[in-house]
Amino acid sequence: MKRRNFLFTSALSAVLAVTVAACGNSGSPTAGEGGRRLVMATSADYPPYEFVDSASGSQEIIGFDVDIAEYITNELGYELEIQNIDFNGLIPALQANRADFVMAGMTPTEERKQNVDFSDIYYEAKNTIVSRQGSDLTTTESLNGKTVGVQLGSIQEGAAKEIQGANVKSLNRISEMIQELKAGRVDALIIEDTVASGFVANNPDLQFTEIPTAGEAGSAIAFPKGSELRDEFNTVLREMQQNGTMEELVNKWFGENSPAAGQEAAS
């Protein structure tokens, strides 16, 4: 299950880009010097899926999704460029032909499928409740009457709004949500387990509890409607599942020694 549930908005705020590029209006891959270039849009605030490598000082966007994208584009003979956009601007970027595909741990909900096409699901996680240590906020029922922080445009935002009596507070970035919780301005957060574990590991005053899976789940790659890239990407995704590459990347990014440890989770 993944964070992200699209809200229709025209805000396309490009915060930072590994390489700034624009796609052509045709929706086909952009031609780069010496080869074909694909622009991947993401929201690099979500370790270990995608985040800025501040620890090394490089400011490069790295993560689970980035490794998958690099593997696929290399196999298909494309150059890869990455743009960092606020999450709720990702699908509008596809619709405006500003990107060839989106990887941001995005769940292929029925609402999103009306606007974009999705690849096969490549990973599935679970939602959690993150709260301060010692609190009794460990079930959705316990959130009745509480203020619950979620990421704007996320699938967790939709899930929180279904909790009876919960006062939902939507914020732009995960690190901002953590600060709101630590400051007592929200009582709890709903975050995906793989992301929550990193933040809790670096903030021992917090705890998280898994929520039973219900409804739509899984992460997939989003493409503009009718994009021929979907079938190409699906072919490589299946190869990655069969040859063990996907398992290696899952172990790399979600294991105890993940390169994401100590990154934005500590903020």
Side-chain angles (χ1 to χ4, degrees):
M1 181 182 299
K2 190 49 186 123
R3 51 179 175 183
R4 324 271 206 171
N5 186 22
F6 170 60
L7 295 180
F8 295 96
T9 175
S10 60
L12 300 176
S13 53
V15 181
L16 97 95
V18 172
T19 308
V20 178
C23 292
N25 291 328
S26 65
S28 59
T30 306
E33 294 183 7
R36 299 174 297 171
R37 181 184 66 205
L38 296 183
V39 176
M40 166 183 158
T42 191
S43 179
D45 65 335
Y46 208 61
Y49 288 88
E50 48 270 323
F51 60 99
V52 177
D53 185 13
S54 56
S56 70
S58 70
Q59 300 303 303
E60 179 185 6
I61 296 176
I62 62 174
F64 180 55
D65 283 344
V66 176
D67 278 3
I68 294 173
E70 289 178 343
Y71 184 95
I72 292 174
T73 52
N74 182 66
E75 287 293 301
L76 295 175
Y78 293 109
E79 298 176 2
L80 177 65
E81 299 186 2
I82 302 175
Q83 289 188 350
N84 187 10
I85 299 173
D86 280 349
F87 184 80
N88 60 347
L90 292 174
I91 287 182
L94 287 180
Q95 294 175 307
N97 292 319
R98 300 191 182 197
D100 294 295
F101 67 99
V102 162
M103 289 192 74
M106 184 175 283
T107 299
T109 65
E110 290 303 317
E111 181 182 12
R112 289 180 180 140
K113 289 177 183 178
Q114 296 176 22
N115 297 282
V116 296
D117 289 337
F118 282 98
S119 71
D120 297 339
I121 288 175
Y122 59 85
Y123 187 71
E124 185 170 341
K126 300 179 184 295
N127 280 343
T128 68
I129 297 171
V130 180
S131 59
R132 290 181 290 277
Q133 277 285 1
S135 78
D136 294 326
L137 304 180
T138 57
T139 65
T140 54
E141 291 78 13
S142 68
L143 300 179
N144 191 332
K146 304 298 183 181
T147 300
V148 180
V150 293
Q151 187 172 40
L152 179 66
S154 70
I155 197 167
Q156 286 78 24
E157 183 180 41
K161 288 180 178 179
E162 295 178 0
I163 298 174
Q164 183 176 1
N167 176 29
V168 179
K169 184 174 184 179
S170 300
L171 301 161
N172 277 321
R173 296 196 170 264
I174 302 294
S175 56
E176 183 183 358
M177 293 164 55
I178 295 293
Q179 293 295 346
E180 290 290 290
L181 177 61
K182 292 169 71 71
R185 290 187 286 268
V186 299
D187 299 300
L189 309 171
I190 296 183
I191 304 177
E192 183 182 325
D193 60 347
T194 52
V195 178
S197 62
F199 281 98
V200 170
N202 287 279
N203 294 276
D205 54 330
L206 303 181
Q207 63 184 14
F208 72 100
T209 308
E210 184 181 303
I211 304 172
T213 300
E216 297 159 312
S219 298
I221 306 168
F223 303 92
K225 278 288 188 181
S227 173
E228 296 179 359
L229 290 173
R230 180 176 66 170
D231 290 341
E232 294 183 35
F233 275 50
N234 274 339
T235 297
V236 182
L237 282 175
R238 292 172 193 138
E239 291 173 357
M240 295 176 73
Q241 297 286 359
Q242 293 168 0
N243 64 22
T245 301
M246 189 65 73
E247 182 179 0
E248 291 176 4
L249 293 180
V250 169
N251 291 335
K252 171 184 176 180
W253 289 104
F254 299 111
E256 292 183 1
N257 298 315
S258 164
Q263 292 285 333
E264 194 170 343
S267 63

